[in-house]
């Protein structure tokens, strides 16, 4: 493995990731705040990219430098555990959401974007625009860090506006994929309802909070029923919802377009570790597709199973 080969692969990755219609030299000139000739010397290999320059490029374009190096090492696969840097919990949470937004931002609207997700709880990307449901998710995460005191109320919880805006963008980002595949447990609402009841019992959310949450869960279920009947988020953006007949241990996600792919594994409640390794991404995609074979499609078809599923979730929500 030569230094020049690594630089060539880095340049190829940059060409794949820059916004459509942009010239790489112009992009690097603006991103690295340097002159055109300095950029061209780096692209020709006459001058090496500095560590700081590579760090900026990696962050802005989502290029895994470990991955580029690891591709050429036998039996070596790299994962990013996305360590948080801010001591402030709201800022740390914002880092996590922004990471997910950058992933969706790397997808190009070229007709080849795909999102696969197998989960036994409601995907946050589907309810991130709901005020109380997203507040409850944030509250749970803060509680796990020991920072929520009783009694507590979601209605009094002041969420920074930039987090609210990011929640809405996350919901919109999912709907831009040409094809989205969800595989769910048939009791996908149950864990959410159980957590609401648990937090209410600890006075970490108020009685009125529970009613707001119940109302939003009912709205979400109506929205999901409408989406599953249509089998699409909007014209040209297909949605496939499957109900799994077997259990799976974790949340698996695979996101890809023609030039980019990434596999994510949910850890520590709302964070994830991920890999852009072609080997891991293929394994992840194959695994989720294997779960589809043990599942029933309820979007766009499977009317009887869909009606049964919706009714079951209504009864679960009514437990609140």
């Amino acid at each position: 493995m030569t230094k020049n080969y690594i630089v060539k692969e880095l340049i190829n990755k940059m060409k794949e990731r820059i916004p459509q219609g942009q010239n790489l030299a112009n992009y690097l000139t603006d991103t690295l705040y340097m002159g055109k000739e300095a950029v061209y010397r780096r692209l020709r290999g006459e001058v090496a990219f500095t560590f700081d320059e590579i760090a900026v490029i990696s962050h802005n374009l989502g290029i895994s430098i470990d991955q580029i190096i690891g591709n050429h090492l036998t039996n070596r696969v790299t994962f990013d555990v996305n360590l948080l840097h801010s001591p402030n919990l709201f800022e740390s949470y914002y880092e996590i959401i922004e990471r997910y937004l950058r992933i969706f931002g790397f997808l190009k609207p070229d007709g080849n974007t795909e999102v696969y997700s197998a989960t036994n709880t409601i995907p946050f990307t589907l309810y991130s625009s709901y005020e109380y449901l997203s507040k409850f998710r944030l509250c749970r995460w803060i509680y796990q860090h020991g920072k929520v005191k009783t009694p507590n109320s979601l209605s009094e919880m002041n969420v920074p506006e930039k987090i609210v805006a990011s929640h809405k963008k996350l919901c919109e980002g999912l709907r831009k994929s040409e094809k989205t595949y969800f595989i769910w447990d048939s009791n996908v609402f149950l864990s959410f309802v159980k957590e609401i009841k648990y937090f209410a019992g600890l006075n970490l959310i108020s009685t009125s909070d529970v009613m707001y949450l119940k109302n939003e869960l009912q709205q979400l279920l109506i929205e999901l029923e409408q989406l599953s009947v249509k089998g699409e988020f909007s014209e040209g953006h297909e949605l496939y919802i499957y109900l799994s007949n077997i259990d799976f241990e974790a949340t698996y996600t695979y996101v890809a377009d023609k030039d980019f792919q990434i596999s994510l594994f949910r850890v520590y409640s709302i964070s994830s570790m991920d890999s852009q390794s072609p080997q891991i991404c293929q394994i992840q995609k194959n695994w989720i597709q294997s779960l589809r074979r043990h599942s029933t499609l309820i979007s766009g078809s499977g009317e009887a199973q869909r009606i049964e599923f919706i009714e079951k979730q209504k009864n679960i929500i009514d437990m609140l």
Side-chain angles (χ1 to χ4, degrees), residues 83-192:
L83 296 176
L84 302 175
H85 302 102
S86 174
N88 180 282
L89 283 177
F90 279 114
E91 287 299 320
S92 293
Y93 179 85
Y94 181 67
E95 284 182 32
I96 296 171
I97 300 300
E98 283 296 295
R99 167 65 176 164
Y100 292 137
L101 283 175
R102 283 199 300 274
I103 290 173
F104 282 116
F106 297 144
L107 299 177
K108 298 176 181 176
D110 57 4
N112 295 292
T113 55
E114 295 181 322
V115 175
Y116 291 79
S117 183
T119 176
N120 50 17
T121 189
I122 310 167
F124 181 57
T125 44
L126 284 175
Y127 67 84
S128 57
S129 61
Y130 286 80
E131 179 185 358
Y132 276 82
L133 293 178
S134 58
K135 273 187 175 182
F136 180 64
R137 182 177 188 263
L138 177 55
C139 177
R140 283 181 300 164
W141 188 73
I142 294 175
Y143 172 71
Q144 286 177 308
H145 288 79
K147 301 296 183 181
V148 176
K149 298 179 181 179
T150 56
N152 185 61
S153 174
L154 297 179
S155 60
E156 298 172 2
M157 184 178 185
N158 294 316
V159 180
E161 185 56 38
K162 65 179 182 180
I163 291 180
V164 175
S166 292
H167 281 169
K168 293 177 180 177
K169 289 179 183 177
L170 190 62
C171 190
E172 294 166 0
L174 173 69
R175 287 157 169 76
K176 292 179 180 178
S177 172
E178 269 72 28
K179 293 183 180 180
T180 302
Y181 300 85
F182 283 130
I183 303 173
W184 295 340
D185 183 277
S186 61
N187 292 313
V188 71
F189 276 74
L190 182 60
S191 61
F192 207 106

Side-chain angles (χ1 to χ4, degrees), residues 14 29 34 40 69 105 112 118-119 143 184 213 226 248 258:
M14 287 191 288
T29 297
M34 64 172 56
Y40 280 118
I69 298 171
N112 295 292
T119 176
Y143 172 71
W184 295 340
L213 288 166
Q226 293 170 345
F248 37 89
K258 184 169 62 69

Side-chain angles (χ1 to χ4, degrees), residues 246-269:
I246 61 174
D247 295 331
F248 37 89
E249 309 82 12
T251 292
Y252 309 94
T253 303
Y254 169 78
V255 179
D257 67 9
K258 184 169 62 69
D259 300 317
F260 171 75
Q261 60 179 347
I262 187 169
S263 293
L264 301 99
F265 303 81
R266 192 178 70 186
V267 295
Y268 309 131
S269 178

Side-chain angles (χ1 to χ4, degrees), residues 190-212:
L190 182 60
S191 61
F192 207 106
V193 168
K194 288 173 66 176
E195 287 183 352
I196 291 173
K197 294 177 71 174
Y198 175 73
F199 271 65
L202 294 178
N203 288 323
L204 291 167
I205 58 175
S206 67
T207 302
S208 61
D209 289 337
V210 174
M211 291 300 100
Y212 283 122

